[in-house]
């Protein structure tokens, strides 16, 4: 297993290019199951979750040809409708094949994802929505078994605007007969990206990006060429890396409008943020000021940037409060930040962070994808050496992170962990 070693206190300067969004790529890839034509998906991030999704589609019989960051998939003939435990346990987003398989082939068997480091993360709302569309759904022996002899459009009221739940139901409704209206739908940019891809393939979807999405079912979807939207979480992570080192970074090929809540908080904390034509420039001259943050569904502050923001606030000049309202268990980075000298107290879903002038490098362990990024940012701000282990979490969602940070002047490298 690899480790990442950082010697902190280097001011980051320069330009970094953002890749395609992992959380848009995953549903787009899963949705290729909805029809038989060639789907050419470009600007794919080279991260492990994308590799896992392509592997799952391959296992189901989808033909695949990958060239760099572009994959051509064709689901004309598939040889199974089951997503097995071995794959689903490594990536919860495998549940995204449930809606497309059921809608096109009338059956799907998908392992229940189970809990994960950041919370229990049930999929009850995905299943409830599919039942409204006429599916029979059973959970037995750790598997979701869904069957339908043709889904029928209906009115679905989501109790919470779940992101992958909205995506699963949106995909399923594309091939249902009649009209489906999804109320309280998620509004994340990744939903809009999926809808844009499906529309290009002949789907009839209205209102993606608002809380009411209307889908008029069609008989079939054809192939299309599409480029995945830039990764707003990757972009936010590099902006915060610039801020935590009091640096000057230009994050290019991102969409500033996807990051409004984050840019507002960075500005409130004293960083200078300039939205340019092809990206965002952040400059920070001094220690940042403390801020209050509450993670919310889009367009609020994203939970996927909470750990990184906490690292930033650990060296801010004052006391910050971060409230995590999306996942109940997403503070696992806190004990690791304590090891680096951070002063953080957690009370339920609130964390109170007393900023220190500096952190001290230490060996720390990553617990999940975004926590890993938070620890790396803390390492960039710390005196001395920080060693982050279990970085396989990082590889699930950040492409070439060390290389990109090195390009900004960070002293960071990856080594193979001694056994
Ligand atoms: N929830 C339910 N029932 C459901 C579905 C969700 O109770 O059927 C609850 C969850 O337990 C959670 C909340 O609703 O408390 C939000 O979960 P949501 O379903 O929106 O999250 P998700 O779809 O599982 C996606 C991203 C996550 C991101 C969240 C929130 C993908 C593949 N994953 O997860 O990304 O944190 O939305 O924005 O899109 C990451 O990239 O590191 C990551 C975890």
């Amino acid at each position: 297993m690899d480790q990442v070693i950082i010697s902190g206190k280097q001011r980051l300067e320069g330009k970094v290019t953002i890749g395609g969004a992992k959380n848009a790529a995953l549903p787009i890839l899963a949705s290729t199951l909805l029809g038989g034509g060639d789907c050419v998906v470009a600007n794919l991030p080279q991260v492990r979750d994308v590799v896992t999704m392509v592997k799952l589609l391959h296992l189901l019989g989808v033909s695949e040809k990958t060239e760099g960051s572009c994959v051509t998939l064709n689901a004309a003939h598939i040889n199974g409708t089951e997503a097995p435990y071995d794959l689903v346990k490594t990536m919860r987003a495998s549940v995204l094949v449930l809606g497309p398989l059921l809608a096109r082939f009338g059956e799907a068997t998908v392992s229940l994802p189970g809990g994960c480091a950041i919370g229990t993360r049930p999929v009850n709302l995905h299943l409830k929505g599919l039942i409204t569309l006429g599916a029979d759904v059973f959970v037995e022996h750790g598997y979701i078994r869904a069957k339908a002899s043709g889904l029928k459009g209906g009115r679905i009221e989501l109790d919470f605007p779940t992101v992958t739940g909205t995506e699963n139901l949106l995909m399923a409704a594309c091939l249902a007969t009649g009209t489906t209206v999804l109320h309280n739908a998620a509004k994340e940019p990744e939903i809009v990206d999926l809808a844009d891809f499906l529309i290009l393939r002949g789907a009839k979807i209205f209102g993606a990006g608002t809380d009411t999405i209307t889908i008029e079912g069609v008989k079939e979807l054809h192939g299309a060429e599409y480029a995945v939207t830039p990764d707003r979480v990757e972009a936010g992570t590099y902006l915060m890396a610039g801020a935590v080192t009091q640096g000057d970074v230009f994050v290019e090929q991102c969409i500033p409008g996807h990051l409004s809540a984050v840019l507002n908080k960075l500005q409130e904390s004293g960083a200078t943020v300039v939205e340019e034509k092809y990206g965002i420039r952040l400059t920070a001259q001094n220690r940042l000021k403390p801020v209050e943050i509450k993670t919310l569904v889009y367009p609020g502050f994203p939970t996927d940037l909470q750990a990184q923001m906490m690292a930033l606030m650990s060296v801010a000049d004052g006391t910050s409060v971060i409230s995590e309202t999306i996942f109940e268990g997403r503070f696992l980075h806190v004990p690791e930040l304590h090891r680096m000298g951070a002063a953080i107290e957690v009370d339920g879903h609130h964390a109170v962070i007393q900023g220190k002038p500096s952190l001290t490098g230490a060996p720390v362990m990553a617990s999940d994808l975004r926590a890993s990024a938070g620890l790396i940012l803390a390492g960039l701000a710390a005196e001395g050496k920080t060693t982050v282990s279990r970085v396989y979490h990082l590889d699930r969602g950040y492409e070439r992170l060390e290389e990109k940070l090195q390009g900004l002047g960070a002293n960071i490298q990856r080594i193979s962990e001694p056994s």
Side-chain angles (χ1 to χ4, degrees):
M1 274 193 282
D2 292 352
Q3 293 179 323
V4 166
I5 300 181
I6 306 143
S7 293
K9 293 283 179 194
Q10 299 285 331
R11 182 172 195 259
L12 298 193
E13 281 176 355
K15 195 166 74 175
V16 60
T17 305
I18 299 309
K22 165 184 84 80
N23 289 347
L26 296 174
I28 285 174
L29 292 173
S31 78
T32 60
L33 285 164
L34 284 168
D38 267 359
C39 292
V40 184
V41 186
N43 200 32
L44 278 178
Q46 320 238 321
V47 298
R48 215 183 65 229
D49 276 6
V50 164
V51 173
T52 306
M53 180 58 86
V54 171
K55 196 166 151 192
L56 172 57
L57 294 174
H58 196 71
L59 186 86
L60 294 168
V62 177
S63 76
E64 169 253 327
K65 192 170 147 226
T66 302
E67 282 170 288
S69 63
C70 180
V71 67
T72 304
L73 296 165
N74 190 312
H77 306 287
I78 68 151
N79 52 26
T81 53
E82 177 170 326
Y85 178 60
D86 279 351
L87 273 178
V88 179
K89 75 174 184 215
T90 66
M91 185 184 70
R92 302 180 48 82
S94 309
V95 77
L96 286 166
V97 301
L98 177 64
L101 283 174
L102 177 67
R104 177 145 168 247
F105 304 102
E107 59 173 38
T109 304
V110 176
S111 170
L112 258 186
C116 79
I118 62 175
T120 47
R121 302 184 74 183
V123 290
N124 58 316
L125 303 177
H126 304 223
L127 306 190
K128 201 172 148 192
L130 292 174
I131 291 167
T132 305
L133 298 182
D136 289 323
V137 181
F138 304 93
V139 176
E140 51 185 15
H141 306 298
Y143 277 81
I144 303 161
R145 298 186 198 282
K147 276 192 190 304
S149 50
L151 293 176
K152 289 177 196 63
R155 182 183 187 282
I156 299 172
E157 185 83 44
L158 286 167
D159 294 341
F160 183 88
T162 155
V163 175
T164 48
T166 299
E167 291 162 351
N168 240 334
L169 297 169
L170 173 61
M171 292 186 281
C174 283
L175 297 185
T177 50
T179 302
T180 298
V181 185
L182 261 176
H183 292 278
N184 201 24
K187 296 184 284 203
E188 272 67 4
E190 293 76 22
I191 306 279
V192 177
D193 213 35
L194 169 66
D196 285 347
F197 176 59
L198 294 169
I199 291 167
L200 211 58
R201 297 180 63 198
K204 293 199 173 144
I205 301 168
F206 310 92
T210 75
D211 53 16
T212 305
I213 307 179
T214 304
I215 307 115
E216 285 170 16
V218 296
K219 280 212 160 55
E220 56 182 13
L221 296 188
H222 50 75
E225 288 183 26
Y226 194 75
V228 175
T229 198
D231 195 319
R232 63 193 167 106
V233 180
E234 189 193 16
T237 302
Y238 287 108
L239 288 170
M240 290 179 193
V244 84
T245 62
Q246 295 174 25
D248 180 356
V249 297
F250 181 60
V251 175
E252 67 174 359
Q253 280 178 37
C254 65
I255 299 177
H258 288 175
L259 280 155
S260 297
V262 176
L263 301 185
N264 285 342
K265 283 296 166 187
L266 287 170
Q267 272 169 327
E268 196 184 317
S269 70
T272 305
V273 176
V274 181
E275 295 177 24
E276 295 187 10
K277 195 168 175 196
Y278 298 110
I280 305 165
R281 179 166 179 201
L282 177 140
T283 321
Q285 304 289 358
N286 303 303
R287 276 175 78 192
L288 294 183
K289 289 182 272 183
V291 286
E292 277 196 26
I293 283 174
K294 192 189 254 191
T295 62
L296 291 167
V297 297
Y298 189 83
F301 192 95
T303 173
D304 289 345
L305 283 167
Q306 179 257 108
Q308 299 88 318
M309 197 66 189
M310 193 178 286
L312 214 59
M313 291 301 107
S314 297
V315 288
D317 193 4
T319 303
S320 305
V321 179
I322 297 186
S323 305
E324 171 59 58
T325 76
I326 306 295
F327 291 111
E328 71 270 26
R330 212 171 197 183
F331 281 143
L332 288 179
H333 40 284
V334 171
E336 302 302 310
L337 290 171
H338 285 160
R339 305 197 70 253
M340 301 178 71
I344 305 170
E345 272 183 42
V346 172
D347 182 6
H349 65 272
H350 306 291
V352 178
I353 306 121
Q354 282 177 22
K356 297 253 192 101
S358 188
L359 301 177
T360 53
V364 290
M365 210 179 273
S367 53
D368 68 83
L369 169 57
R370 307 304 174 187
S372 329
L375 296 177
I376 300 246
L377 262 53
L380 291 172
E383 301 272 3
K385 189 170 101 173
T386 298
T387 307
V388 184
S389 48
R390 299 203 178 159
V391 288
Y392 52 85
H393 289 295
L394 199 69
D395 297 335
R396 290 189 41 209
Y398 287 94
E399 65 179 4
R400 300 183 289 107
L401 178 110
E402 305 92 76
E403 204 183 297
K404 290 187 181 186
L405 284 173
Q406 280 162 3
L408 293 171
N411 189 337
I412 179 169
Q413 48 182 302
R414 178 180 290 241
I415 57 156
S416 286
E417 202 166 351
S419 53

